[in-house]
Every structure is written in structure tokens, then in C-alpha cells.
Amino acid sequence: MKLAALYRGDADVPALHVAAEGGFAPVDELAATAGATDLGGLRDVGDLFARGPAAVGRLRELAAAAQASVDPASARYAPPVLRPGKIICVGLNYADHIAESQAQRPERIVLFAKFSSCLIAHGEPIIHPAITSELDYEGELAVIIGQRAADVAVADALGYVGGYTIINDVSARDLQGAEPQWIRGKALDTFAPLGPVVLEAAAAPPVGEMSLRTLVNGEVRQDASCSQMITGVPELISYISQAITLEPGDIIATGTPSGVALGMKPPVYLKPGDKVSIEIPGIGELINTVAGPR
């Protein structure tokens, strides 16, 4: 099952949809037809996961026979999670990215955070702030938490995953390098494109079988297997949940492989008009164009 938050017509609040052959089907319509009151009024994936595994299972049943009524070509996407409580990002989680960054392999897992104000959807512009001249991309697999997770064991951790999607950990390298904390380098407005859809965990292949490609203006910049992560998804969930309770809809960005602009010689940073496309087979393609300062 694939899930998307889409705006319909001139509505300013999105509604949850499921992918069906040829497009998307609104969950509200599926729920009304089936009398599934527990599935009414869902805006996004976070809303669904917050209603619990039974609601997810019920929607999975309805999705199997869903008929598309929304053409993806005309769909206007919202981030599949609108207001996550937490966006937790993992730094330096691929050895080749550590090398290109001229950094030392960390002794411990490196975590930092973004804010929900960073989120934008597939198709929305990444704003190039006037305060940076070194705007970079980082294609990453994102984990969406499906159930409350506190101090979970590694062996149990995948049971708390609701689904997977794509995130672009947009970075202002000059700000990141100039300040001891990475907040301004990593958490500015529009610095977390997310989507286009969430692939439910039950339908996803093992993370080690997933792969990721990032293209800038059609040129392949990143191309890696997610099996190259230094710390895998179960270990990340366990480590984070030892001290931070994860809630449905929370996002973990699992780190980026090599190929970022910072690692090029010379670096080729993003500029207004550039198109960034990040692909993960089975999930789709997250596309955003860079726009000038507001």
C-alpha cells in the first residue's frame, strides 16, 4: 500500500489517498462506501498511524480493491506527514560520504534535528536563502514511525516502522561549517522536501535491498544501496528510542551516501532553477526545483 496526502481542487487542507492503478483513491470515499468510520477525516499518514494498527489493516483491505479517481498528473501533493512531532536526522551514516566530507568516522551515532517548518512536498520549490552561497542536496531514505516506541530492542524495532519515503536533507554548507550547532545549516524553511508517497512497511522490501539515486538537472550525483548504511534502521530506532520516545508520524532521515555537492572538486552547489530528483524504486521520485530568495 502506498499513501499520499493530496490537495483536491482549491482545498487548503489535504486529504489522505491510497495509490491505485492509474492514480489515487481518496480514503474518505473508500471509508464512506465501506462504513469504516475509523478511517474518516484523515489528512495525512501521521493521522492514519495515530489511529493504530487496526485502522492501518482496515485501510490495507480497502486499498486492495480501490479504483483510482485522481490522476497523478493533476495531483497537488502535500508532505505525506504534515506536522511531525520530530524529524530526527542521522549524520555521517555512509562511509563514502564521510570520506568525501573529509570527516572522521564518528565513534557514536550522530543525530541532529529539523523542524516541521522545513517540510515541503513533491513539486514545491526549495528556497535558496540569501544567507547562504553553498546550498547542497542530500538524498536519503526516510523512516516514518507507525507506533509509539520507547526503549525498544533492536530485534523488535522494525515492528514500529509504519512506512518509508524519500527526504532531501537540504543543507547550507557555509552556515553548517561556521557554527557549532547545525540548526541554521540544516533547518531553514523548505530544507526538508518529503515524499511523494509513503510505502507502507508491510509492502516494503528489506532496507538493505533498497537503493537511492539523486539527479541534479538530469545528471546522476548519488547512486548507492541503502545496505551501505553504517548503522541500520533497527539500530537507529533502538538507539533513538532509548532516550527519545518516538510517536506515530515522527520521521527519521537515515543519512546520505556520497555524491553531494560538497564532495565535488570543485563543489557545484545548487542555484535557482536547478531541479533535484531523488529516486528510490518502490517509492517513486521526489522532485523539487530551487527558487530564489523570497
Side-chain angles (χ1 to χ4, degrees):
M1 180 170 66
K2 293 182 183 179
L3 302 158
L6 304 176
Y7 294 100
R8 301 290 302 278
D10 59 357
D12 57 4
V13 176
L16 188 65
H17 289 62
V18 297
E21 185 174 355
F24 295 98
V27 171
D28 274 344
E29 293 181 10
L30 297 177
T33 300
T37 56
D38 57 332
L39 295 176
L42 298 173
R43 302 168 305 158
D44 68 346
V45 173
D47 282 352
L48 173 63
F49 292 159
R51 295 194 186 181
V56 176
R58 177 67 167 139
L59 180 56
R60 190 185 306 124
E61 294 174 0
L62 299 179
Q67 301 292 315
S69 60
V70 178
D71 183 348
S74 62
R76 184 163 65 96
Y77 290 82
V81 185
L82 295 171
R83 302 291 293 183
K86 294 175 279 296
I87 305 173
I88 299 175
C89 305
V90 182
L92 302 173
N93 200 27
Y94 285 76
D96 54 1
H97 176 56
I98 295 173
E100 71 173 355
S101 303
Q102 299 182 355
Q104 297 293 319
R105 180 165 173 160
E107 295 182 1
R108 296 187 178 186
I109 298 170
V110 175
L111 300 178
F112 59 95
K114 288 180 180 269
F115 309 129
S116 58
S117 55
C118 300
L119 291 174
I120 58 172
H122 169 71
E124 291 188 309
I126 299 167
I127 301 302
H128 191 308
I131 58 175
T132 181
S133 59
E134 297 181 358
L135 189 68
D136 207 348
Y137 52 86
E138 291 191 11
E140 305 189 10
L141 175 71
V143 175
I144 311 299
I145 296 299
Q147 300 183 60
R148 185 178 185 274
D151 198 18
V152 303
V154 171
D156 300 327
L158 289 180
Y160 294 86
V161 176
Y164 300 93
T165 190
I166 304 168
I167 192 167
N168 186 350
D169 175 19
V170 180
S171 306
R173 298 299 189 191
D174 41 3
L175 302 182
Q176 181 184 1
E179 301 174 6
Q181 296 292 332
W182 290 0
I183 290 178
R184 290 212 309 157
K186 291 284 193 174
L188 302 186
D189 291 352
T190 77
F191 272 29
L194 187 77
V197 302
V198 170
L199 176 64
E200 187 201 1
V207 169
E209 296 178 9
M210 296 184 188
S211 61
L212 178 149
R213 289 204 319 163
T214 302
L215 297 85
V216 177
N217 301 326
E219 175 191 0
V220 176
R221 297 281 183 87
Q222 296 181 288
D223 191 353
S225 168
C226 295
S227 66
Q228 296 172 247
M229 290 182 195
I230 294 171
T231 305
V233 169
E235 291 80 10
L236 290 173
I237 292 171
S238 178
Y239 179 81
I240 294 167
S241 73
Q242 288 171 18
I244 302 170
T245 298
L246 297 168
E247 302 285 354
D250 284 350
I251 298 166
I252 300 174
T254 58
T256 200
S258 65
V260 300
L262 173 69
M264 301 175 71
K265 299 186 183 302
V268 182
Y269 291 111
L270 296 173
K271 61 185 184 302
D274 285 346
K275 183 175 79 170
V276 183
S277 306
I278 306 170
E279 306 168 353
I280 296 180
I283 298 175
E285 185 177 14
L286 173 65
I287 302 174
N288 302 89
T289 299
V290 180
R294 293 192 179 100

